[in-house]
Amino acid sequence: ERPVFRIRHSLASRFAFLVICVAIVLSALAYGTVHYWALGLFNLGGLTILVLWVLDAWRLGNMRISRNLLQLPLLGALALGLFQLLPLRDATPVGGLVGVNTLSFDPYSTRLVLVQLATLFIYFAATLVFVDTPHRLNLLVRTIMIFGFGLAIFGLMQSFTSPTKVYWFRELNQSTAFGPFINRHHFAGYMELTIALPLGLLFAGAVEREKKILYVFIAGLMGVALIMTTSRGGIISLVAEILFLVVVSGIGKKQKQSRSRRTKPNPLKALAVRAGLAAALMLGLFFAVLLFGGEFSIYRFIDTVNTDNPTSGRAHFWAVTLDIIRSYPFIGTGLGSFGVVYTQYDTRNGLFRLEQAHNDYLQVLSDGGIIGAALALAFVVVLFYLAIKRAKSHDGFRRGVALGALSGCFAVLVHSFFDFTLHTTSNALLFLVMAALATLNGRVENAPAPRKRRRGSSSTEPSEIAPGTEP
């Protein structure tokens, strides 16, 4: 029988876990954390986690660091940004910046991106370390679902009573708000992540029968709020998310059924059941939107598609971005420098400053070159590999969380073809937390129930998985 290890928790680790949960909530409520004052508080939270991390190490006599491979691409991105700040280029005026001799054409923006990326890495690494028991995994998942449900209600209320204002008092002239987000597309991106957890648990069969209606209601309201934003990228991503769950949610179930001698697994029947659930869910969302008076939202969603330019101007942005990529293919123009470089390549009047490319994949190539794209690809590949591996867990709740979190990340990756939701700090934080939830190791799994002994057999099942072991 395996030895049973008890995970020791210090007071500092409890506060570090609390800071992570609070940051998820407050970063969204603070307009998505896009203003300097909000970023300052967000960075202060990251510094607080570092201090608590050191105190936890001092109390336990051991500095806990996760070996999760997803951390390596993020560290690589930090190294790339630091390299771009080296003065290895001839001083040339770019975008009004005279005397820029760094590899980055906007070193000031690159420094800001590095600070933000470093803080996000702290939150991500801390989530991998301090979410180390089934109880904490459950608490974090419940926090995200409850907050997402409340945020959906708030967004719907505000859209009905004051659609042009944030928090009913801040008027916006150049963007359409939804909930606490200045950009409705970013609210849609946030809902893609929060709705993923109840959907993942439902599709994985990890919800008790008496609670299924509650989970369907929670997910349905989030879906209605997302559709009411009329974000085309968000709606496409939601459909892709549901279809993705139909395909992958049978991974863990198939393994579990194959161990049973009484019943034989029927993959086609299981797939048909999941497809029926997906169809019922999407049909229910459609009628729910109509019930909420969303026919106007549907009409507006259709009317936004211009037959002359269905990309709403994005095709021009992408063409200019491709020109930038051709000029600086290897290390890019510098993290965060797109707004400065774009004006030099704009084929129109050259005076329109565009901060983002409205396609995160093109912007990664533009800002980070082939090296940045390779790091991003490595992150996605490792994420899917580890998450699918965790989805084969014996623990139904763990399997549902892994599949749900992965589907949320998948939806955001689809949305990134049309928008830049990950450039909003709150969305980037929740995306990384979901990536952590999808890839956490066996410490967060409940121990398998011991099997009954057979006569003549002295073997027993372990009562608990050793902390840190891989499932």
Side-chain angles (χ1 to χ4, degrees):
E1 183 177 352
R2 293 184 190 176
V4 176
F5 296 93
R6 296 183 63 86
I7 298 177
R8 298 170 58 196
H9 286 152
S10 66
L11 183 62
S13 75
R14 292 184 174 91
F15 275 107
F17 177 75
L18 178 62
V19 171
I20 294 171
C21 295
V22 171
I24 292 172
V25 174
L26 294 185
S27 62
L29 295 179
Y31 304 108
T33 308
V34 294
H35 300 93
Y36 286 126
W37 63 269
L39 287 170
L41 293 176
F42 183 75
N43 294 336
L44 182 61
L47 181 61
T48 302
I49 289 178
L50 276 182
V51 173
L52 293 171
W53 206 334
V54 172
L55 291 176
D56 176 70
W58 174 76
R59 178 67 179 82
L60 301 181
N62 179 35
M63 187 70 176
R64 296 191 290 166
I65 300 176
S66 172
R67 297 181 180 179
N68 193 306
L69 295 177
L70 278 179
Q71 298 171 105
L72 296 181
L74 296 177
L75 290 174
L78 287 170
L80 174 62
L82 291 173
F83 180 74
Q84 290 173 336
L85 291 176
L86 296 178
L88 301 178
R89 196 195 305 270
D90 294 334
T92 54
V94 176
L97 298 176
V98 180
V100 175
N101 61 350
T102 59
L103 294 176
S104 171
F105 285 107
D106 190 356
Y108 175 75
S109 295
T110 301
R111 293 187 188 98
L112 290 179
V113 171
L114 284 176
V115 172
Q116 185 180 17
L117 186 59
T119 304
L120 287 169
F121 176 79
I122 292 172
Y123 281 102
F124 177 61
T127 302
L128 293 172
V129 169
F130 294 114
V131 182
D132 54 3
T133 63
H135 177 64
R136 287 192 174 181
L137 175 66
N138 193 296
L139 280 178
L140 184 56
V141 170
R142 307 299 182 195
T143 298
I144 295 173
M145 287 198 302
I146 293 173
F147 177 65
F149 177 70
L151 198 65
I153 295 176
F154 167 64
L156 289 171
M157 290 176 57
Q158 184 175 270
S159 68
F160 294 143
T161 58
S162 182
T164 61
K165 296 181 180 180
V166 182
Y167 291 118
W168 291 278
F169 70 87
R170 181 176 177 181
E171 187 76 35
L172 300 177
N173 297 322
Q174 298 181 348
S175 62
T176 304
F178 205 96
F181 290 83
I182 297 175
N183 189 320
R184 59 190 171 93
H185 302 287
H186 297 173
F187 179 90
Y190 202 87
M191 284 294 104
E192 293 160 14
L193 292 167
T194 57
I195 196 178
L197 292 177
L199 287 181
L201 293 170
L202 284 170
F203 274 87
V207 181
E208 297 85 350
R209 180 176 301 179
E210 62 274 10
K211 295 182 180 179
K212 285 185 178 180
I213 297 298
L214 177 62
Y215 277 70
V216 170
F217 178 70
I218 291 173
L221 195 65
M222 293 182 194
V224 170
L226 189 156
I227 295 173
M228 293 290 284
T229 64
T230 67
S231 169
R232 280 182 289 161
I235 296 174
I236 292 172
S237 301
L238 176 61
V239 174
E241 182 175 13
I242 295 174
L243 295 178
F244 179 80
L245 276 172
V246 171
V247 175
V248 302
S249 57
I251 294 175
K253 285 184 177 181
K254 183 177 179 180
Q255 185 192 41
K256 183 178 180 181
Q257 290 174 349
S258 64
R259 294 176 179 177
S260 175
R261 296 184 176 182
R262 296 181 180 178
T263 59
K264 295 182 179 180
N266 190 339
L268 294 179
K269 182 179 179 181
L271 180 62
V273 171
R274 295 195 301 272
L277 176 60
L281 179 62
M282 288 189 283
L283 188 63
L285 287 175
F286 175 77
F287 283 108
V289 169
L290 295 180
L291 181 64
F292 276 92
E295 60 273 5
F296 171 75
S297 298
I298 296 175
Y299 295 151
R300 188 172 65 174
F301 170 77
I302 297 174
D303 289 341
T304 55
V305 180
N306 189 331
T307 56
D308 295 330
N309 186 1
T311 66
S312 300
R314 289 176 174 84
H316 173 70
F317 307 152
W318 299 341
V320 175
T321 306
L322 288 173
D323 291 337
I324 299 174
I325 294 171
R326 294 189 192 98
S327 299
Y328 306 96
F330 299 109
I331 61 171
T333 61
L335 301 181
S337 65
F338 183 81
V340 169
V341 179
Y342 180 85
T343 58
Q344 304 300 306
Y345 287 82
D346 190 5
T347 56
R348 293 177 179 174
N349 54 28
L351 300 177
F352 182 66
R353 180 183 173 101
L354 186 71
E355 295 294 338
Q356 314 296 343
H358 290 267
N359 184 310
D360 282 339
Y361 300 98
L362 291 180
Q363 188 157 348
V364 166
L365 280 166
S366 172
D367 288 0
I370 295 176
I371 297 176
L375 292 171
L377 179 62
F379 183 92
V380 173
V381 171
V382 174
L383 170 62
F384 274 74
Y385 172 76
L386 291 179
I388 292 176
K389 185 178 180 181
R390 303 300 183 248
K392 299 176 182 179
S393 168
H394 62 84
D395 182 0
F397 181 80
R398 175 71 187 105
R399 183 175 65 250
V401 171
L403 291 173
L406 180 62
S407 69
C409 293
F410 174 76
V412 171
L413 292 175
V414 172
H415 200 165
S416 293
F417 279 104
F418 316 103
D419 287 305
F420 51 98
T421 61
L422 286 178
H423 288 262
T424 302
T425 306
S426 61
N427 293 30
L429 172 64
L430 187 56
F431 176 85
L432 290 176
V433 169
M434 297 289 274
L437 291 178
T439 59
L440 288 167
N441 62 18
R443 297 175 301 169
V444 297
E445 299 179 12
N446 287 310
R451 295 180 181 176
K452 294 182 180 180
R453 292 187 182 182
R454 297 180 182 177
R455 293 182 181 181
S457 173
S458 59
S459 63
T460 59
E461 290 293 319
S463 60
E464 184 175 341
I465 293 181
T469 57
E470 298 294 330

